[in-house]
Amino acid sequence: KSQNFEVDHPFCCLSLPMSEAAETKVNPMRQVRVEKLCLNISVGESGDRLTRASKVLEALTGQQPVFSKARLTVRQFGIRRNEKIACRCTVRGQKALELIEKGLAVKEYELRENNFSQEGTFGFGVDEHIDLGLKYDPSIGIYGLDFFIVLSRPGRRVSQRRRAVAPVGKNHRVSKDDALNWFKTTYNGVVLPPKKK
């Protein structure tokens, strides 16, 4: 009678072993994804060159770039405090994935280990913007730009929202190893050892 009770009881499934399908099921909250892509062109001076650099970013992303100002006055470089010296743009969603694909194709899907930070972000540089598929314009010239990719897991918003803010647990943050594995599996990339100083 006690055996029948265990079988017929509505909660008896809690004590039974999990099926193979349930064991192999992937937790969607653990999936690493691209939160955003930051593009930056640092010209080092204001004026016409910076304006042309902003046109490059606008043609690449379809968004209006934001200008960065110098924090300090550096006489050796001819930079004054609060002078506009660079332009940047933040891209998200499918457009960000397309630009990352183009940028990594220029690098031949090879990055060095010191391109990755301990927080799971990574970045690299492209010497010529025309390698990303833009047509060369003599009136604009050629500019190099920096790629910076931020990876995260679902649930990071709890640390950034306005109400009921809470820290993200250490195990849920993206580590350097997580970013390396994501790069290798997603893009079949190659990670080279860091350069010797």
Side-chain angles (χ1 to χ4, degrees):
K1 191 175 181 179
S2 61
Q3 292 178 353
N4 292 335
F5 173 76
E6 290 179 4
V7 174
D8 297 335
H9 198 273
F11 299 109
C12 69
C13 59
L14 297 176
S15 61
L16 293 176
M18 294 178 66
S19 63
E20 294 181 4
E23 289 178 356
T24 58
K25 189 175 181 181
V26 179
N27 185 355
M29 295 296 287
R30 298 290 298 169
Q31 296 294 313
V32 178
R33 63 186 181 182
V34 176
E35 184 177 331
K36 60 184 176 181
L37 164 67
C38 301
L39 297 173
N40 177 65
I41 299 179
S42 183
V43 180
E45 63 182 53
S46 58
D48 194 36
R49 282 193 65 207
L50 185 59
T51 305
R52 293 200 299 264
S54 67
K55 289 181 181 179
V56 170
L57 275 186
E58 189 173 354
L60 193 62
T61 62
Q63 300 174 198
Q64 190 70 31
V66 178
F67 293 101
S68 302
K69 296 179 180 179
R71 291 182 298 171
L72 301 170
T73 299
V74 184
R75 291 186 177 179
Q76 294 175 342
F77 302 129
I79 296 174
R80 297 186 307 274
R81 186 169 178 264
N82 286 333
E83 181 185 4
K84 294 178 180 179
I85 58 171
C87 55
R88 67 187 191 274
C89 209
T90 301
V91 190
R92 302 174 193 268
Q94 189 62 36
K95 183 69 175 178
L97 296 176
E98 293 173 5
L99 290 174
I100 292 171
E101 183 79 37
K102 290 180 181 179
L104 289 174
V106 174
K107 304 296 285 186
E108 296 179 347
Y109 300 96
E110 290 183 356
L111 295 178
R112 296 198 173 271
E113 191 178 334
N114 51 4
N115 285 94
F116 294 80
S117 72
Q118 297 297 328
E119 286 75 34
T121 58
F122 67 97
F124 57 91
V126 175
D127 293 331
E128 298 180 354
H129 73 273
I130 56 175
D131 293 335
L132 301 171
L134 293 178
K135 192 175 180 181
Y136 174 69
D137 188 351
S139 62
I140 292 178
I142 294 178
Y143 287 89
L145 63 152
D146 302 321
F147 282 69
F148 192 76
I149 296 98
V150 179
L151 301 177
S152 67
R153 287 191 172 101
R156 184 180 174 181
R157 179 180 170 272
V158 298
S159 65
Q160 299 171 329
R161 61 191 178 185
R162 184 174 181 179
R163 183 184 167 278
V165 178
V168 178
K170 183 179 180 181
N171 293 332
H172 199 66
R173 297 176 198 155
V174 180
S175 65
K176 183 176 182 178
D177 293 333
D178 294 332
L180 288 168
N181 291 332
W182 178 86
F183 172 65
K184 291 175 184 176
T185 55
T186 307
Y187 294 103
N188 199 18
V190 178
V191 179
L192 303 173
K195 283 184 178 180
K196 294 182 180 180
K197 294 182 181 180

